[in-house]
Every structure is written in C-alpha cells, then in structure tokens.
Amino acid sequence: MKKHTFPKGFLWGGATAANQIEGGFFEGNKGLNIADVLPGGKERLDILQTPGFDFEIDREKYSYPNHEAIDFYHRYKEDIALFAEMGFKVFRMSIAWTRIFPTGTELEANEEGLAFYDRVFDELHKYGIEPVVTISHYEMPLTLVKEYGGWRSREVVTFFERYVNAIFNRYQNKVKYWMTFNEINSGFIMPIQGLGFSIQKEEDKYQATFQAYHHQFVASAMAVKACHKIIPDAQIGCMILYAPVYPYDSNPQNVMFALQEERLFNYFCADVQVRGEYPAFIQRYFEEHNIDLDMHENDLDIIKEGTVDYIGFSYYMSRTEKRDKTKLEESQGNLIGGVKNPFLRASDWGWEIDPEGLRISLNRLYDRYQVPLFVVENGLGAYDKVEEDGSINDDYRIDFLGSHIKAIGEAIKDGVQLIGYTSWGCIDLVSASSGEFSKRYGYIYVDKHDDGSGTLERKKKKSFYWYKEVIATNGEAL
Ligand code: BG6
C-alpha cells in the first residue's frame, strides 16, 4: 500500500447487530421481535423466502439460536476490551427496538433497556471507541408485525418516530454516527426481516412491498430530521446492501438487463434517501406492476427534507446477470440471485469472492451520489478449526479481508470519500440468513455451535493480530 492511502482519522472497526449477538431475549423487559421467532439452520432461509410465515415459536420443531446468541448482553465488557485491544476506532452495533419499546406501542420507553445501552456506550467510550448505531437491524417488535402487519401499516411510522426520539434524546452525548434501516433494499427479497411481514398467498407482493417502502422512507426521513435537530453534530446515514451488477456479456440486451437490476435493487432506496425523491425510472416500474402508493399530503416534502448525510453499505460479493438464464448455473449468495461468474471463486456458502467489486462499488456509488461513503459490512463467512494448541489459523479470512481493504485503498486513490470500514461479525455471531454459528466471520472465536453446545468462551484468531496491525499502521501494513 502506498504511504498514507487511508486518511488520518479513518474509522476502522467491526460490525454487529443486536439480535445476532446479545441474547438475553427476555431480560430487562425486552419484548419479542422478529429474530426471536426465526429458527436456526438451513430451514431459516426457506422460511425467509417462502410466503405465509406465521411468526410463531415452535420449540418442538426448531431451535432458536438468537435467544442466547453469543451472550453479549452479559459479556459486553469482555468483548469491548478485545475490540479495544485490536485498536478499534468505532464499533457498529444496533439497538434492539424491543429493549426500548417492548411491543413498539408503549408511550414511555423502557428504562432497563435504555440503561443497558448506556452501559455499552460508556464502556466503548472508556476505550475511545465511537459507537456507530443502526436504529433498526432486521428486528422490529413482534407486536407490530402481528397486530399491524409490519411496515405495511402507516401507524408503524408513528411508533418508529417515538422510538427514534427516545434514543436520540437519551444518547445525544454518546452517539454521533447513526444509520436508519439496515440493508433497506433487502426487503425486496426478504420482507420478513426488512419490512416486517411475510407476503400472504393472496397478496399483491408489489403493492405491499412498495407501500411498506414508502412508509420506511417517510420514517427514515423523519428520523434524519429528528437526529439533526436533537444532535446537531451527529451524522446519520442510510444503509444498503450493495452488490454491483455485471452483465454476463456485452450483448446490449444483457447490459440493459443488468442496468435495470442495478437501478431497482441497488439504487432505488438510496435515490430516495440520498436525493430525497423517487427516481424517474421507478414510475414506469410502478405502472407496469400496477402499484399505486397511498401517500399523505406532505410525505414527499418530509422525504425531501430528511436526506441522509452519508451512505453506509454492506459489500460481500458482486452479482452477474443475464436476461435469459436458461442453461446457466445460478449463483447463490447474499440474498441476491444472478448467474455464476466464470472469473470468480466462491465461499463455502456459494458467495462469490470479488475484491475488485468493492472498488467498483465505491466508485459507482460515489459517482452517482457524491456523498461520503462508509463500508459498514464486509467479510467472509467460513468454517474455522480450533487446533489442538487452541490456535485458529484463519489465513483464508486474512486473504479475503486484506484483498478487500486493498481494493478500498485503490478507491480512495480514485477519489472516493470514505468515512471508515467496519468488517462484519468482528466477533463470531449468529448468521442472519441461516441462523448458524458455524458460519463464522470473526477475529474473535466464540465457542458456540449449531447444536447449541459450547462454553461461549472467546479466543483470538490469527486474523485478530493481523487486523490489529492493519489498524495500528492505518492500512500501511497491507
Ligand atoms: C448482511 C446483514 O446481510 O449480511 C447481516 O446485514 C448478516 O445481518 C450479514 O449477518 C451476513 O449474512 P449471513 O447470512 O452470513 O449472516
């Protein structure tokens, strides 16, 4: 790496989400949320992708790994000390809405929940680590799902507003980086986690999805406005799942198809949240899918006034598209489809590994929006082996992360303005899509397994020492 590629003050750190690490699912008056009813194992992905899920717990049939997760609720001090040892400047985490408003509908916030995050933020600040907080990461209160139909309902906007006001007021001196909805665009594929409902068999999925999106856009814009008012020195971003779409070949039909997929999946939400307007291309899509949004009179003004300060995004892989996919092998991957890219190899979970795609992503996003970017998720889910001497030699993870961070360095040299980098799952956690513990991302190993066994003991992997060096040298050790 050329000297000083990464700017002074670049925010190095790691990322997590409340429901994937905390556990303590019934402690401190917490209410049930979506993640609490999602089973572990391969069944989870089927449930997430099949219409008609009933959001009930069935302990005879399934296990529920998020209930205990890695017990960050009780072990946060030990974990934060390890993050500090690596030299983290920031720690991305989320607040569980259900710790603050257990059903989502209360008028007063739950003091025990507020106090828990006070303790976490104080512990982070003790080491000079800034929290980067996602307000809603795949886990709205179950009451809002069951009684209101999730983000289909306009009333949820009001409940969300109450929630964000409570946390902005309480943490105004402790949190300066915020994001509204995690991977907001993932709701297209997994509405259960993103939009808080399962498409019903008789339901028009397009109308329901875009109406829910409209409510989230209004809610997000209201949150941005409230944040700017209550914490004027804070920055608040949107958060999208970004996987650049490549055409399979130079056939103009495929190039156009890739462009359409890129705009709809990657840009639609960010266009609204960053530019404050529904983009021109979506009008045609609405007409072709008979979508007629129910909007309140001043919704578009709110959206215009509540544009975000930066774009946070996750990057795991690129996606290759062809209009006619017959005869081609489909690729698996972070919720998104596409066909196999012959130039790329894939992880154990079929996610194609493409560091150059991260440079492409950063350039495309910056070219389009000209606002600061923040890579808030990136990482390799892999099986790790604990050797007899207790060491975990995760060179594959070091290769993955090193090549991606180098690609970020190139993008910075290309002129992209980047706030920081928080790799996903800096400590092993429950996988969002499969509920597995064995899909590990961390620099810190957690002794917890898919069958529920394990001591929860933490161990440093080889990548722990590697990342520590990367941070200490501001990326120059690469
Ligand atoms: C992102 C999510 O999609 O990818 C995280 O924001 C998730 O919550 C991460 O954990 C990795 O995906 P998975 O399915 O491997 O956990």
Side-chain angles (χ1 to χ4, degrees), residues 16-17 19-20 44-45 48 92 137-138 182-183 186 190 193 239 241 314-316 334-335 349 351 376-381 424-425 429-436 439-441:
T16 59
N19 71 81
Q20 293 173 261
R44 179 179 290 197
L45 206 50
L48 291 174
R92 177 179 173 225
H137 192 126
Y138 288 168
N182 181 64
E183 292 188 335
S186 69
M190 304 225 287
Q193 287 174 320
M239 189 330 197
L241 186 172
S314 63
Y315 176 83
Y316 292 91
N334 193 10
L335 322 180
W349 275 262
W351 297 22
V376 294
E377 282 188 36
N378 169 237
L380 177 72
W424 176 250
L429 38 66
V430 182
S431 152
S433 61
S434 67
E436 292 164 303
K439 189 179 189 187
R440 296 175 184 275
Y441 286 88

Side-chain angles (χ1 to χ4, degrees), residues 13-67:
T16 59
N19 71 81
Q20 293 173 261
I21 57 169
E22 284 179 7
F25 86 116
F26 250 150
E27 288 180 65
N29 294 327
K30 177 183 160 295
L32 284 178
N33 63 35
I34 291 172
D36 292 327
V37 299
L38 293 179
K42 307 282 182 207
E43 297 91 335
R44 179 179 290 197
L45 206 50
D46 288 344
I47 287 173
L48 291 174
Q49 291 175 332
T50 314
F53 179 53
D54 61 4
F55 295 94
E56 296 296 336
I57 291 179
D58 182 348
R59 288 185 193 280
E60 304 220 325
K61 224 164 141 191
Y62 301 121
S63 65
Y64 293 90
N66 299 67
H67 290 188

Side-chain angles (χ1 to χ4, degrees), residues 73 76 112 114-124:
Y73 189 72
Y76 65 92
E112 274 197 71
L114 288 168
F116 168 66
Y117 293 107
D118 265 327
R119 292 195 293 277
V120 173
F121 297 145
D122 291 346
E123 195 66 19
L124 288 167

